[in-house]
């Protein structure tokens, strides 16, 4: 049961396929993100990786927590999101103002967290950000 609480959707696409998408597409940027930030030789992209590509290019605890604040503001009320937000507020109290800003940014964006992002890999990244008001 615990495993299902933290499970994220995986794409049936390899990193090599992602890198072959057009240079301005979500798929290409996702492939570059995985290439630069993964320890695995051929990582399988997850929904969380798409969020990181759309919201932040950084991989740090602070940015991971901020991403979940953004997603909460966008309507994601999952246990995982709530857990990360709660632990982030406890362990990074000096960043609460930044987390709140990211929450507001998520509230101002159009709802996108529950879409099938893997069907949008061919679309230009900036077009997706503009369409959903992602900042």
């Amino acid at each position: 049961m615990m495993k299902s609480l933290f499970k994220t959707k995986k794409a049936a696409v390899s990193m090599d396929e992602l890198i072959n998408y057009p240079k301005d597409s979500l798929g290409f940027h996702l492939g570059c993100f995985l290439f630069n930030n993964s320890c695995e030789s051929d990582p399988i992209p997850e929904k969380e990786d798409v969020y990181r590509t759309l919201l932040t290019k950084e991989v740090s605890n602070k940015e991971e927590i901020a991403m979940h604040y953004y997603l909460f503001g966008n309507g994601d009320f999952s246990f995982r999101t709530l857990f990360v937000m709660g632990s982030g507020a406890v362990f990074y109290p000096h960043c609460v103002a930044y987390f709140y800003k990211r929450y507001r940014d998520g509230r101002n964006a159009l709802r996108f967290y529950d879409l099938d992002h893997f069907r949008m890999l061919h679309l230009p990244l900036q077009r997706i950000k503009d369409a959903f008001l992602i900042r």
Side-chain angles (χ1 to χ4, degrees), residues 65 69 83-94 96 99:
I65 296 163
Y69 271 84
F83 179 78
V84 171
M85 289 172 55
S87 58
V90 169
F91 293 112
Y92 293 89
H94 57 282
V96 170
F99 296 154

Side-chain angles (χ1 to χ4, degrees), residues 5-24:
L5 290 175
F6 294 100
K7 190 184 267 188
T8 59
K9 185 176 180 181
K10 292 185 178 187
V13 61
S14 71
M15 192 168 60
D16 291 334
E17 291 173 302
L18 291 171
I19 298 295
N20 287 322
Y21 275 91
K23 298 254 187 267
D24 64 341

Side-chain angles (χ1 to χ4, degrees), residues 69-105:
Y69 271 84
Y70 192 105
L71 294 172
F72 183 76
N74 200 249
D76 181 7
F77 304 119
S78 68
F79 176 76
R80 179 181 183 166
T81 297
L82 296 172
F83 179 78
V84 171
M85 289 172 55
S87 58
V90 169
F91 293 112
Y92 293 89
H94 57 282
C95 298
V96 170
Y98 174 64
F99 296 154
Y100 182 70
K101 179 191 177 314
R102 296 304 289 158
Y103 163 78
R104 282 194 336 254
D105 291 344

Side-chain angles (χ1 to χ4, degrees), residues 29-131:
H29 286 278
L30 177 59
C32 291
F33 175 83
L34 290 172
F35 180 78
N36 292 328
N37 297 296
S38 181
C39 299
E40 300 175 34
S41 61
D42 192 17
I44 299 171
E46 298 179 356
K47 202 171 190 179
E48 297 287 323
D49 298 319
V50 175
Y51 295 147
R52 287 182 194 98
T53 303
L54 288 169
L55 301 175
T56 181
K57 297 284 189 190
E58 295 181 40
V59 179
S60 68
N61 291 338
K62 177 183 168 187
E63 288 304 320
E64 180 75 13
I65 296 163
M67 178 183 76
H68 283 280
Y69 271 84
Y70 192 105
L71 294 172
F72 183 76
N74 200 249
D76 181 7
F77 304 119
S78 68
F79 176 76
R80 179 181 183 166
T81 297
L82 296 172
F83 179 78
V84 171
M85 289 172 55
S87 58
V90 169
F91 293 112
Y92 293 89
H94 57 282
C95 298
V96 170
Y98 174 64
F99 296 154
Y100 182 70
K101 179 191 177 314
R102 296 304 289 158
Y103 163 78
R104 282 194 336 254
D105 291 344
R107 289 212 30 140
N108 292 329
L110 298 177
R111 187 171 170 157
F112 72 90
Y113 85 91
D114 56 353
L115 298 175
D116 184 0
H117 300 93
F118 297 112
R119 297 185 79 192
M120 301 189 313
L121 293 175
H122 65 284
L123 296 174
L125 179 66
Q126 195 57 50
R127 184 170 148 204
I128 297 170
K129 286 182 169 190
D130 291 344

